[in-house]
Amino acid sequence: MKKGLIQGIAGVGLLVLLPSCNTQKQTTGNDVYAIARTTQSGPGQDEETEIQSEQLSRNIVVPQLQIDALSVYKRMITYITPEEETAPVVSEEKLTAYVDFPANGIQVNPKYGNNSAVLTKLGERLGSLMQSADGNVRNIRIMGYASPDGNTKENDRLAGNRAIQFKNYLQKQFKLPATCQVSVDWAGEDWEGLKRLLVASDKKYASQVLAIFQLTDDPDSRRKQIKAMDKGTVYKDIEKSFFSRLRRMELTVEMELPVAAADNSRLIEQVYAQPEKLSLPELLRVASFYRPGTEQYREVYEIAAYTYPSCTVAQLNAAAAALALGDKESARYFLQQVNGDLRSYNNLGVLSLMDGDKESAIAYFRKYMSQNPRLARENLKIVYGEN
């Protein structure tokens, strides 16, 4: 019986546990036996009492051996800290400013055209975003666009210079945080924007203009053919109806948002109510609220592993959590999903040890040495009985 118990726990590698466990067995067994002998009398009863005492002693020792072995395995298991779990919560908002410029002008003039209203509205929204993000506006990307009239090369130059001057205006007027990076790019003539506007319009000539778009990508050829339509009236209407909506600055404001406690509570509730509606980063964030090895940690990572089977971290941590709770078959399943991943070798070694396969456990721990030398060495010591 004793030999069978030892092999079932961890093979030779966990013999170090046996002295304390065996001592408890002996102490418990002797106490029961002593009580039994003092309470039993009569000829022929001593032998029967001794047999009953041994059986009771075995029933007491087996759970203790299992508990001690599992506590050792828990020390040997490794968990992965996903990048998504520690990354800040980032939000983006896109803003559009239709800034008016005089012909060939590049300076932002708040008093020109409709700029006063446009820039005031933009400033109010930027201020609101900076306040809601506690000033953590990380990046503003500016993209400058021009309408496709005139000369393509000149339009590209104007779009670039106007975007640069718009950046300078933003930094000066809106008191952006020192940590905020402002980047600039420009697309030049926005033919794709014009195409979208034509598709959404009810202009009778829209299909004919779109057919020209299909025939050629050359901007000069397009302009020439459109200007030739209906003696120039089509081009003039396009210029009047659409060009002002193509001359614009598009801003992408990227913010690092604080995570409210109420939001965390909502996520925790949703994990059990509607887990399919949570993104992978949200599931991993919920998992970070629990201590590795707990039942809650396991539940969240199992949901993540089944919902997002391509996430290696979810599979690895679901396997680790199953091992910590003594569920070998679940751990085996999740580890099979990440076959060959170097980070899985340590827990494969623990699983092998739980199966009583000492040689495979040693091989896995040695393979894991390149990932975490300290833990690999500690686990090898346990296998060799040096702890």
Side-chain angles (χ1 to χ4, degrees):
M1 170 66 80
K2 183 186 293 184
K3 181 177 179 182
L5 286 173
I6 295 170
Q7 291 176 342
I9 294 170
V12 181
L14 287 180
L15 281 172
V16 290
L17 292 174
L18 293 180
S20 60
C21 297
N22 203 34
T23 301
Q24 182 174 357
K25 176 182 176 182
Q26 291 173 347
T27 302
T28 305
N30 288 340
D31 289 345
V32 173
Y33 181 61
I35 294 171
R37 287 186 65 84
T38 56
T39 56
Q40 299 291 334
S41 60
Q45 290 186 352
D46 283 354
E47 182 178 354
E48 181 181 353
T49 303
E50 185 173 351
I51 293 171
Q52 291 175 348
S53 300
E54 286 184 8
Q55 291 173 343
L56 180 58
S57 173
R58 291 190 189 107
N59 291 335
I60 293 172
V61 171
V62 171
Q64 185 61 48
L65 282 169
Q66 292 172 339
I67 292 171
D68 285 351
L70 192 57
S71 68
V72 173
Y73 296 140
K74 285 183 178 180
R75 285 192 297 141
M76 302 172 76
I77 294 167
T78 186
Y79 299 87
I80 307 297
T81 301
E83 293 180 2
E84 293 93 337
E85 190 174 288
T86 55
V89 179
V90 176
S91 175
E92 283 189 356
E93 181 163 333
K94 294 187 181 295
L95 305 173
T96 302
Y98 296 97
V99 182
D100 290 327
F101 293 91
N104 298 318
I106 62 173
Q107 298 294 330
V108 178
N109 183 353
K111 297 180 180 180
Y112 183 79
N114 195 40
N115 286 349
S116 179
V118 169
L119 295 173
T120 298
K121 184 178 179 180
L122 177 65
E124 290 173 352
R125 186 55 190 154
L126 277 176
S128 176
L129 290 176
M130 285 188 285
Q131 185 177 6
S132 65
D134 289 341
N136 292 325
V137 177
R138 295 171 41 165
N139 189 31
I140 298 178
R141 298 190 298 274
I142 300 171
M143 179 68 75
Y145 292 88
S147 58
D149 57 330
N151 179 274
T152 299
K153 186 176 180 180
E154 180 63 15
N155 285 336
D156 187 65
R157 184 191 68 82
L158 282 174
N161 287 332
R162 286 171 177 175
I164 292 170
Q165 292 302 318
F166 183 73
K167 169 190 172 180
N168 295 337
Y169 177 82
L170 276 185
Q171 291 177 316
K172 181 179 179 181
Q173 292 295 123
F174 297 124
K175 298 179 182 178
L176 301 174
T179 55
C180 177
Q181 301 294 318
V182 182
S183 59
V184 173
D185 202 350
W186 54 93
E189 294 180 342
D190 189 13
W191 286 98
E192 286 302 312
L194 178 57
K195 180 179 178 180
R196 288 192 298 272
L197 292 174
L198 285 168
V199 169
S201 74
D202 57 358
K203 299 292 184 179
K204 294 181 180 179
Y205 56 75
S207 59
Q208 293 175 275
V209 175
L210 291 172
I212 293 173
F213 284 20
Q214 293 278 348
L215 291 174
T216 178
D217 293 327
D218 180 69
D220 291 326
S221 177
R222 284 178 173 179
R223 258 190 300 268
K224 184 178 179 180
Q225 292 184 59
I226 296 171
K227 286 182 177 181
M229 292 176 62
D230 200 13
K231 299 179 180 180
T233 58
V234 170
Y235 184 84
K236 288 179 180 179
D237 190 72
I238 289 175
E239 188 176 34
K240 177 182 177 182
S241 303
F242 303 119
F243 280 2
S244 62
R245 284 187 273 173
L246 299 175
R247 306 182 192 112
R248 68 199 187 280
M249 302 292 169
E250 287 194 353
L251 294 79
T252 303
V253 184
E254 187 179 277
M255 300 156 288
E256 182 178 325
L257 300 178
V259 180
D263 189 43
N264 289 340
S265 299
R266 176 189 64 80
L267 291 178
I268 292 172
E269 291 177 4
Q270 200 164 0
V271 161
Y272 298 102
Q274 296 175 306
E276 71 281 357
K277 292 189 176 181
L278 291 178
S279 65
L280 179 59
E282 287 175 327
L283 280 170
L284 299 184
R285 179 143 60 96
V286 173
S288 71
F289 302 154
Y290 302 111
R291 181 171 55 83
T294 61
E295 185 63 38
Q296 295 95 330
Y297 182 94
R298 177 186 181 175
E299 287 174 351
V300 177
Y301 263 111
E302 284 192 343
I303 291 171
Y306 286 120
T307 308
Y308 298 95
S310 62
C311 178
T312 303
V313 170
Q315 302 293 335
L316 289 169
N317 282 345
L323 284 175
L325 295 172
D327 185 351
K328 295 192 299 180
E329 295 314 309
S330 292
R332 202 183 317 276
Y333 169 80
F334 291 121
L335 287 170
Q336 286 172 350
Q337 310 312 304
V338 291
N339 184 36
D341 192 294
L342 296 176
R343 295 170 296 178
S344 70
Y345 288 150
N346 179 77
N347 291 347
L348 281 168
V350 176
L351 178 59
S352 297
L353 204 57
M354 294 175 78
D355 285 338
D357 187 350
K358 178 181 175 182
E359 290 185 5
S360 293
I362 292 171
Y364 279 125
F365 292 142
R366 285 177 176 165
K367 288 181 179 180
Y368 188 66
M369 193 71 72
S370 63
Q371 299 294 302
N372 190 333
R374 182 195 60 77
L375 181 60
R377 282 194 296 268
E378 288 297 318
N379 288 350
L380 285 170
K381 286 181 181 179
I382 292 175
V383 177
Y384 290 128
E386 296 176 11
N387 279 12

